[in-house]
C-alpha cells in the first residue's frame, strides 16, 4: 500500500508537468500524428520519461496499446547514447556544478544497483518512484562501468516492468 501511495504521488507530480507541456505544445494535437508525437517527445525527456508519456497519452485520449509502444520506444531511444557517451561528457564537465549534482545523484542511488547487480538495475528502473527510471539507471550503470549490452537489457526489462505498473495505475 505504501509503494502504491508513493507511485500515485509521483504520478500526480508528473501529471502536473505533463499538463504544462501539453498546454504549451497543444497546437501539435491539430496536426496528423501530433498527439502521438507529443507522447513520444514527453517519453524522451528525463524526469517524465515513460510515466509522463503514458500520462500524456491518457490525457490526450489515445489508444492504450499504440501509446504503450510509443512511450517505450521514446523512453529507450536515449539510453544507448547515455550508456556510450555520459562518462565522456561528465569528464569534460567535472569543473561544472551539474557534474557535481549528477555525481551526488549517482552516489545516493548506486548502492541499490551495486548490491544486486543487473537485477538491481531492473528493479531501480522498473519501480516507478521519484528519481528512478531509465535515464538515472543508465547514468548509474555507466558510472559503475557495467557492461553496456547487459545494462541496456536490464533497463529494457525495467522499462517494460514500469510500463505495466503505470498502465495498471493510470
Amino acid at each position: 500500500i505504501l509503494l502504491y501511495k508513493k507511485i500515485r504521488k509521483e504520478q500526480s507530480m508528473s501529471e502536473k508537468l505533463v499538463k504544462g507541456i501539453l498546454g504549451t505544445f497543444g497546437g501539435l494535437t491539430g496536426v496528423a500524428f501530433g498527439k502521438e508525437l507529443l507522447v513520444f517527445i514527453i517519453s524522451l525527456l528525463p524526469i517524465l520519461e515513460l510515466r509522463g508519456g503514458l500520462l500524456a497519452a491518457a490525457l490526450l485520449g489515445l489508444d492504450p496499446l499504440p501509446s504503450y509502444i510509443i512511450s517505450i520506444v521514446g523512453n529507450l531511444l536515449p539510453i544507448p547514447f547515455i550508456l556510450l557517451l555520459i562518462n565522456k561528457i561528465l569528464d569534460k564537465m567535472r569543473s561544472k556544478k551539474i557534474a557535481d549534482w549528477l555525481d551526488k545523484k549517482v552516489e545516493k542511488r548506486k548502492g541499490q544497483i551495486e548490491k544486486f547487480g543487473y537485477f538491481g538495475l531492473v528493479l531501480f528502473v522498473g519501480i516507478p518512484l521519484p528519481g528512478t527510471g531509465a535515464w538515472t539507471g543508465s547514468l548509474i550503470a555507466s558510472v559503475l562501468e557495467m557492461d553496456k549490452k547487459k545494462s541496456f537489457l536490464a533497463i529494457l526489462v525495467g522499462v517494460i516492468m514500469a510500463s505495466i505498473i503505470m498502465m495498471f495505475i493510470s
Side-chain angles (χ1 to χ4, degrees):
I1 294 174
L2 185 61
L3 180 61
Y4 175 79
K5 286 181 180 179
K6 283 185 176 183
I7 293 171
R8 290 292 294 168
K9 183 178 178 183
E10 166 71 14
Q11 185 180 16
S12 175
M13 293 183 325
S14 295
E15 192 170 335
K16 289 177 186 175
L17 285 170
V18 168
K19 284 181 178 178
I21 291 169
L22 293 178
T24 303
F25 298 100
L28 282 175
T29 60
V31 301
F33 301 106
K35 292 179 181 180
E36 291 83 356
L37 180 61
L38 276 171
V39 169
F40 180 76
I41 291 169
I42 290 170
S43 297
L44 283 169
L45 298 173
I47 300 172
L48 290 174
E49 300 189 37
L50 171 98
R51 294 169 276 214
L54 291 174
L55 287 169
L59 291 170
L60 292 168
L62 293 173
D63 289 331
L65 184 59
S67 302
Y68 178 81
I69 294 167
I70 292 167
S71 296
I72 288 175
V73 171
N75 193 201
L76 289 174
L77 187 65
I79 302 313
F81 299 102
I82 296 169
L83 289 171
L84 292 170
L85 301 173
I86 196 67
N87 282 335
K88 291 176 181 124
I89 293 169
L90 287 174
D91 287 343
K92 291 183 190 272
M93 296 173 49
R94 285 290 168 219
S95 63
K96 308 289 187 218
K97 289 186 180 189
I98 192 163
D100 293 338
W101 177 79
L102 286 172
D103 285 339
K104 286 178 187 172
K105 187 169 181 117
V106 167
E107 196 62 39
K108 180 179 164 185
R109 304 281 188 180
K110 77 177 186 179
Q112 299 164 312
I113 294 174
E114 281 181 324
K115 185 176 181 180
F116 298 105
Y118 295 101
F119 181 68
L121 189 57
V122 169
L123 292 177
F124 182 83
V125 173
I127 299 175
L129 293 172
T132 66
W135 278 74
T136 309
S138 299
L139 174 65
I140 294 170
S142 291
V143 170
L144 294 176
E145 297 182 1
M146 296 172 79
D147 181 82
K148 290 170 184 22
K149 289 178 185 176
K150 290 179 183 176
S151 295
F152 182 80
L153 289 174
I155 291 165
L156 171 64
V157 171
V159 165
I160 291 169
M161 184 175 141
S163 68
I164 291 168
I165 292 169
M166 288 306 298
M167 288 291 281
F168 280 114
I169 290 176
S170 60

